[in-house]
Every structure is written in C-alpha cells, then in structure tokens.
Amino acid sequence: MTIRNPLRDHGQRYRPRIACLKKLQRHTVGEDIITWLVDRFQMDTQEARSFGSMLVALGYIYPLQDHKRLVIKPDASLYRFQTPYFWPTQQWPVEDTDYAIYLAKRNIRKKGILELHEQEHYNRLHKWMNHKWDFIVMQAKEQYRAAKERKKPDRVVFDCQERAYWVVHRPPPGTVSAMDYGLDRLIDPNADEAKTPDFYARIMIFTQQSIMRPRVKSSVSIGALVKYCATYNSHDPFLSKCLPSNPWLTDDVTYWTLNMPYVEIPTKMRVERWTFSFAELLSDPRGRNDFRLFLKKEFSGENLAFWEGCEDLKWGEAATMREKAEHIYKTFLARGAPRWINIDGKTMEITVKGLKHPHRYVLDAAQTHIYMLMKKDSYGRYQKSPVFKETVKKAICPEEHHFTDAQLEQNSKKRRPSLSPIILRQMEQEQRAKMAANVDITQVMSKLSKQGKEAPPPPCPPPKK
Amino acid sequence: MPLVNNKVGDDCTVGPEKALVDGKAQVDSLIKVVACHRHLASCVGGCTDSLQLRDELRRTREKALTLAGSICHHLTSHLRNKSLPEGQRKEMELLWVAFSSSLELLHVDLCKVFNISDIFSLANTVALVQTGLQGGGSEVAARALSLPDLNLAPNPTLPAGLESQERSTMEQEISHMDHMIEDMEMKVNVMRWMVEPHGPHGPQGAEALSSSDSASLAMFSVDEEQPGPPPPCQRSRISVLLLLVAVVLVAATLSVCIIFFT
C-alpha cells in the first residue's frame, strides 16, 4: 500500500520538455522517475534504478518505446502509469478467457498482426476453449466497438495499457518475467493452524525429538566455527583478494583457467587448501591425483582405489549398481583378490553379508574404515613426502591484475562462453580411462611386491664357472 | 435493441423460434453491456475517475443485472422444458454458455470495481493515478445504455454518505450475482465442453472490422513508439505553412496593385 501512495503523488509531477508535448498524453520520463525515487526514499541511483525496473517488471509503470523490455532506462525514454484496474497488487487471477478475448480483438483490428508466440497461444486457446469461442469473438467485437466510442488519443492509451498488461502476464519470449514465483504452496505458513489432535500429536513428536537430540557446548561449536573462518579467511574470494583477479568483476578468466580441475601446475592457494583437511585433498581432483601418485610410490594405491569405487557405487547409476558391487568385491575384498585391502574382521563380515543383497550403501562401513586409515596414516606421510614437496615448489602464485577502465571495457567485450559441460564430462571420462589403464601396472607391481614379501628370498644362483 | 420482457412460464404462448431469437438478442445485448462496463471499469482509480464515471458505472451495472436476471429466467425455463427439440436445445445451450461466460466476466469486473473504489476514494482526487487519459467515458456509457447521449448533471459536491451507500449497494449486487450463478448451476445441467460453436471461427478469427481505422490506429501507435521528433508538432507545422501561404498571397496582391496603379 505504501508504495502505491507515493506513485499517486508522483503522478502529478512531470516536466513537459517540449511545448507540443502538452497536447499529447501525459508521460513521465525515465530520468524523472529515478530522480524522484532517489529523493523520496533516500537511496542511491543504482538502487533506484533496480527498484524502478522492478516497478516496470511488475506492471505498475509501462514503457512506451520498446514495450517488450521491462526495464527502466535512466534517459529520456517515456513511461506511463498503469491504471489500477491492471495492477497486480490484489493478485486477481489472470484468466485465459481474457487473453483469448484480447488476442481476438487484435486479430479483428488487423489480421496478421499477432506475433509468433501470440499466434501459438491463440491456436492453443482456440483448441481448449472451443466451446466458448462464439462468446469470445462476440465479446472481442463488442469491446472493440466500445473502445471506438472514445477519441483517438484515449483509444491509443487504452491499447497501450492493455498491451502492457499482457506483456507482463504473458511475456513474449526474451522478456524477463516478474510473475514467475515457482510453485504454489499447499499450506500457507503464516495462516493459523487448526488445533486438531493431529496437530498436537505433531507438536509432541517435535518436542520429544528436540529433547533427545545430542547437544554440544556452545563454546565447542563456536570454537569450530571460529577455526573454520580463520583458516578459510584468506581463501574466500569475497573476504580477501582473488588472485589474479575475480573473473566476475574483471571479465578476465585467468583465475578459472589456472584452477581447472585437472591442471598440471596448481596454484599455491590451492595446494595450501590441501593441507587443511583430508576431505579437501580428496575433493579436489588435482589433489586426489597427487595423493594417488604418492600412494603409487608407496604401493598402497588400493586404498584410494577402493574408496573411489565405493564413491562411484554410492553416487552412480542404479542400473549398473549390482555389477559394480560385484566388481569391487572381486577386486578388493575377496580372499586372494588382486588389490586386497586391509580391513578388520568385523567390518569384513558385515560387508560380505550385505553384498548378498547389494544396495548403494552396502560398502559404507568398509569405506569409512579405509577413509580413516588413509586419513590417520597416509595423509600425514603424504604431507611430508617428496611428491608433495615437489608440488608445493612448482605451485605458482599469479600476479594480481591491475586493469584500467579501458581494459575492463575491452575485457567485457571479449567475453566468451566457457567450456560446455559436455566437453568437461568427456575430459573427465578420458581421465578415468587413462587411470584405468594405469591401474594394471600398479596391480602387477603390488602383486609382485606381496609375493616378494611372502615367499622366502630366492637362493642366489651359484656362480657358474 | 429494446428489452423484451419475458415473464416466467411464458413459453406456452411464445413459440420456441421466437424464444430463441429473443434469447439471442438479449444475450447479445448483455455481451455489449458487459464489454462497455469493462471499458468503464478500467478507468476507475485513474485520472478520469469522477462522480460522473461512477454514476455511469452504476447505471451500466444496473442495466447489466436486469438483463442478466431476465435472461436467466428465460433460458432456465426453456432449458428445463423437456419437450424442446434437439436443434433448439443445442442453440439454447450455446446461448447458455455465452450467458454464463458473460456473467463470469461481469462478476469479476464488479469485484474489481468494488475493490478499487474502496482504495481510490473520490474524496481525495490528488491521489488518482495519472494514466494519461483525458476524455470521459460518456459515449461508452451511452452505448451500453443504448441511449443516443447521456444527459447528466453531475453532483458537484460529494455527499458524505453516498460512497458508503454505493458500497453497500455494490456488495448486495455482487452477492445477488453469486446467488444467481449458484442457482443457474443447480437448476440447469449444461455440459459446457460438449457445446459446439457456430461457423468457421478457426484460428483465423473473425473478419477485420474496419481496416482504415485500424491502419490509422496502427500508424498512431507506431508513432508512439518513436516520439523522437514529436509528430504532434505537425499541427504547428501546418499553421506555419498556412501563414507562409497567406503571406505569399498578400505579397502577390500587393505587387499586382502596385503594377495596376503605376
């Protein structure tokens, strides 16, 4: 309500630029609206512009030129206020019958004037409202004749009003619609609920669960939050600088190319993040590759391979789940498997029992065990290993960009769409194929090493003379 | 078209053909009144809103309601008549569909006008929205009421009780319409989606009503889109041209006089 009041007051102020305009219908100019908003609500120009655009998008004001673009332009473009009958405030339903009548009216006035999307709507409405079509055409004719009773300038205003109303509520393709708000909720969360026995039962369950919930001291939880913030502060692109430059601000994509998932040489910041926690290391594909390399050197690559297999099972397609589970069992868990992993007896028992009826989470226990093993054991050694030290040494720290305004403009002109997700997925699959090819070597190596450890050392052949 | 007063239970004296024709005429009239009412309703709250407009709205509304009432009687009685021949019944059903659709539109418009006049009270004329309209809607109201012109002497001062009285009248009328619609649905069972409309009203729609008017209208609206060098200055240009022509004529006559007298 408060927004409508100022609009009504403002309607009185307009500056006739040229004497001839006095004879025309009353308009306001985009600049004037924005200046008035800045004065009235004490906001800055940018905010006034977005607020003005919101008003236009909702249909309170409509542009006279370029009527399909529902934005406010801070120049001499003309706008007019919409009549309250067409305001969206009371949320009166926008009926298809009215739209059909409007389209029929336009068709009557001049055949072939309907645009493509309007023509499609018209055909669809004709199909669904065929029983009313006589009425619709008659009503359209009558409305047209009623409008003809008016003088020509008023008639034009009426047409503009109605057209603006329908641009807001049936937007042509390419117009950003302000009326999209998603699905209607079944229940209004602000409405008072009826106090039925079901309602009280729900409240009781909620309270019981709240009591049973495990608690943590606030010092502990806040301490964890503080630690997280302190660690990640320098890595957050909002809170600290983004090297070399934030692509969203400067339109320069160096940052993204340097931080591609499988880049050869990672950045220093990225490598630093791997030291924060094991989860960070594993979640970064480049970090995982590095870790895999380290494990290969240590001949304990099967742990990571098993973990990855379990992830694949958890998040993969349901169709191939059974085969995947069996494959994992044969490769990692069965007795005498080529890449046998070392888990304790109890977990093995649970897993093998579960594998009789495999589902997504059947290997969860084993996966957690292996994850903890890697975290406690291999992760520490990895951070002290030559592999990691090498990576840290090679990591680059890019220089910060200092763009001038002219360069920024040039950058924005050179904007291009990034790699399509299809290509990214193909790259990922290639990587996986490469790794699958590499596995055979590691398998053989680890098998040999195990055989070497178990069998007694072969007797050295007596030197032949 | 003059209103035909059909009393209830009249169908024994009136032939079914005439009943159909009458019904059609009434429904056409109702559609016309509903269209005019909608046109007037879209001005409420804008800068052309005035006592006169509200008065015209009231008269259009009353006419629409009387028409609706009489059509309701007429059509209900005929459609409940089991002995109606099949062709007639189909026609009646068509009329019924048209009637109920107009009634729905009218109901929506009444609610909207009620709501808007609630918010935009005429006591505070400064608060009306500048929609850019200038003329009143008297011609449209005259069309709705089928009068050649409206002779109205609008009340210059707004009596305090008038607005609230109007509001209560409107509320009553809206509830009356609700009842009528409910009654209609109860008494007559017409399956709307089974009704087949007339004629080749395909997606091409009806024929163009008047192309000349449309062309000039299109031109005017196109002009609206580019008001760079404003076209209304054409009037000033025409006056300048006339002035020039007059000056030239005067100069010519003067020179002729000079030549004559020397």
Side-chain angles (χ1 to χ4, degrees), chain A residues 71 88 150 159 184 216 233 253 259 287-288 309 328 341 348 397 424 456:
Chain A
V71 284
R150 292 272 197 164
D159 287 334
D184 272 321
V216 173
N233 191 22
V253 292
N259 284 307
R288 210 193 281 187
I328 292 175
I341 53 165
M348 182 68 95
C397 187
L424 282 174

Short mmCIF file of all heavy atoms in Angstrom, two decimals, chain A residues 71 88 150 159 184 216 233 253 259 287-288 309 328 341 348 397 424 456:
data_model
loop_
_atom_site.label_atom_id
_atom_site.label_comp_id
_atom_site.label_asym_id
_atom_site.label_seq_id
_atom_site.Cartn_x
_atom_site.Cartn_y
_atom_site.Cartn_z
N VAL A 71 12.33 -2.75 -18.42
CA VAL A 71 13.34 -2.15 -17.52
C VAL A 71 13.15 -0.65 -17.57
O VAL A 71 12.53 -0.14 -18.49
CB VAL A 71 14.78 -2.47 -17.96
CG1 VAL A 71 15.15 -3.89 -17.61
CG2 VAL A 71 14.97 -2.22 -19.41
N PRO A 88 -1.09 -5.57 -10.40
CA PRO A 88 -1.02 -6.94 -9.89
C PRO A 88 -1.19 -7.04 -8.39
O PRO A 88 -1.08 -8.12 -7.82
CB PRO A 88 0.41 -7.36 -10.27
CG PRO A 88 1.17 -6.09 -10.22
CD PRO A 88 0.25 -4.99 -10.64
N ARG A 150 -14.48 6.17 -28.05
CA ARG A 150 -13.58 7.17 -27.48
C ARG A 150 -12.87 7.94 -28.56
O ARG A 150 -12.78 7.51 -29.69
CB ARG A 150 -12.52 6.45 -26.65
CG ARG A 150 -13.06 5.80 -25.44
CD ARG A 150 -13.04 6.79 -24.35
NE ARG A 150 -13.16 6.17 -23.06
CZ ARG A 150 -12.86 6.78 -21.94
NH1 ARG A 150 -12.40 8.00 -21.98
NH2 ARG A 150 -13.01 6.18 -20.80
N ASP A 159 -5.17 1.05 -25.64
CA ASP A 159 -4.47 -0.07 -26.27
C ASP A 159 -3.11 -0.30 -25.63
O ASP A 159 -2.72 -1.44 -25.36
CB ASP A 159 -4.29 0.21 -27.76
CG ASP A 159 -5.59 0.09 -28.50
OD1 ASP A 159 -6.46 -0.66 -28.01
OD2 ASP A 159 -5.73 0.72 -29.56
N ASP A 184 3.01 -23.04 -6.15
CA ASP A 184 2.16 -22.57 -5.05
C ASP A 184 2.27 -23.54 -3.89
O ASP A 184 2.20 -24.75 -4.08
CB ASP A 184 0.69 -22.53 -5.51
CG ASP A 184 0.36 -21.22 -6.15
OD1 ASP A 184 0.84 -20.18 -5.64
OD2 ASP A 184 -0.37 -21.21 -7.13
N VAL A 216 25.82 -30.06 22.01
CA VAL A 216 27.24 -29.68 22.05
C VAL A 216 27.31 -28.35 22.78
O VAL A 216 26.45 -27.50 22.58
CB VAL A 216 27.79 -29.54 20.62
CG1 VAL A 216 29.18 -28.99 20.64
CG2 VAL A 216 27.77 -30.88 19.92
N ASN A 233 39.67 -17.81 5.77
CA ASN A 233 39.50 -16.37 5.52
C ASN A 233 40.26 -15.91 4.29
O ASN A 233 39.73 -15.23 3.42
CB ASN A 233 39.97 -15.60 6.74
CG ASN A 233 39.58 -14.15 6.65
OD1 ASN A 233 38.66 -13.80 5.92
ND2 ASN A 233 40.27 -13.32 7.39
N VAL A 253 39.39 -14.39 -17.42
CA VAL A 253 39.18 -15.76 -16.92
C VAL A 253 40.46 -16.48 -16.53
O VAL A 253 40.47 -17.71 -16.42
CB VAL A 253 38.42 -16.60 -17.96
CG1 VAL A 253 37.02 -16.10 -18.11
CG2 VAL A 253 39.14 -16.62 -19.28
N ASN A 259 42.77 -22.66 -12.36
CA ASN A 259 42.21 -23.56 -11.36
C ASN A 259 41.32 -24.63 -11.96
O ASN A 259 40.40 -25.10 -11.31
CB ASN A 259 41.41 -22.75 -10.33
CG ASN A 259 42.33 -22.04 -9.38
OD1 ASN A 259 43.19 -22.65 -8.77
ND2 ASN A 259 42.17 -20.75 -9.27
N GLY A 287 44.32 -32.59 -6.34
CA GLY A 287 44.87 -33.08 -5.08
C GLY A 287 44.80 -34.59 -5.00
O GLY A 287 45.71 -35.28 -4.54
N ARG A 288 43.66 -35.09 -5.46
CA ARG A 288 43.48 -36.54 -5.42
C ARG A 288 44.51 -37.23 -6.32
O ARG A 288 45.05 -38.29 -5.97
CB ARG A 288 42.06 -36.89 -5.84
CG ARG A 288 41.55 -38.17 -5.19
CD ARG A 288 40.31 -38.66 -5.84
NE ARG A 288 39.13 -37.92 -5.41
CZ ARG A 288 37.91 -38.27 -5.75
NH1 ARG A 288 37.71 -39.31 -6.52
NH2 ARG A 288 36.88 -37.56 -5.34
N GLY A 309 36.00 -46.47 -5.72
CA GLY A 309 34.98 -47.40 -6.18
C GLY A 309 33.71 -47.29 -5.36
O GLY A 309 32.59 -47.30 -5.90
N ILE A 328 33.78 -54.66 -7.33
CA ILE A 328 34.56 -54.17 -6.20
C ILE A 328 34.91 -55.33 -5.26
O ILE A 328 36.04 -55.46 -4.77
CB ILE A 328 33.80 -53.07 -5.44
CG1 ILE A 328 33.70 -51.82 -6.32
CG2 ILE A 328 34.49 -52.73 -4.14
CD1 ILE A 328 32.88 -50.72 -5.73
N ILE A 341 42.36 -55.16 0.22
CA ILE A 341 42.54 -54.08 1.20
C ILE A 341 42.48 -54.67 2.59
O ILE A 341 41.87 -55.71 2.82
CB ILE A 341 41.46 -53.00 1.05
CG1 ILE A 341 40.05 -53.61 1.07
CG2 ILE A 341 41.67 -52.19 -0.20
CD1 ILE A 341 38.99 -52.59 1.29
N MET A 348 34.63 -56.66 7.67
CA MET A 348 34.60 -57.55 6.51
C MET A 348 33.39 -58.44 6.55
O MET A 348 32.72 -58.66 5.55
CB MET A 348 35.90 -58.39 6.52
CG MET A 348 36.01 -59.32 5.35
SD MET A 348 36.21 -58.45 3.80
CE MET A 348 37.95 -58.45 3.59
N CYS A 397 52.15 -18.73 -8.04
CA CYS A 397 51.38 -17.70 -7.36
C CYS A 397 51.23 -16.55 -8.35
O CYS A 397 52.18 -15.79 -8.57
CB CYS A 397 52.12 -17.25 -6.10
SG CYS A 397 51.14 -16.14 -5.12
N LEU A 424 33.47 -30.99 -20.62
CA LEU A 424 34.11 -31.25 -19.33
C LEU A 424 33.92 -32.70 -18.93
O LEU A 424 34.83 -33.36 -18.44
CB LEU A 424 33.50 -30.34 -18.26
CG LEU A 424 33.99 -28.91 -18.27
CD1 LEU A 424 33.22 -28.10 -17.26
CD2 LEU A 424 35.47 -28.84 -17.95
N PRO A 456 60.01 -66.92 0.53
CA PRO A 456 61.39 -66.68 1.02
C PRO A 456 62.24 -66.13 -0.10
O PRO A 456 61.95 -66.37 -1.27
CB PRO A 456 61.89 -68.05 1.45
CG PRO A 456 61.03 -69.01 0.70
CD PRO A 456 59.72 -68.35 0.49
#
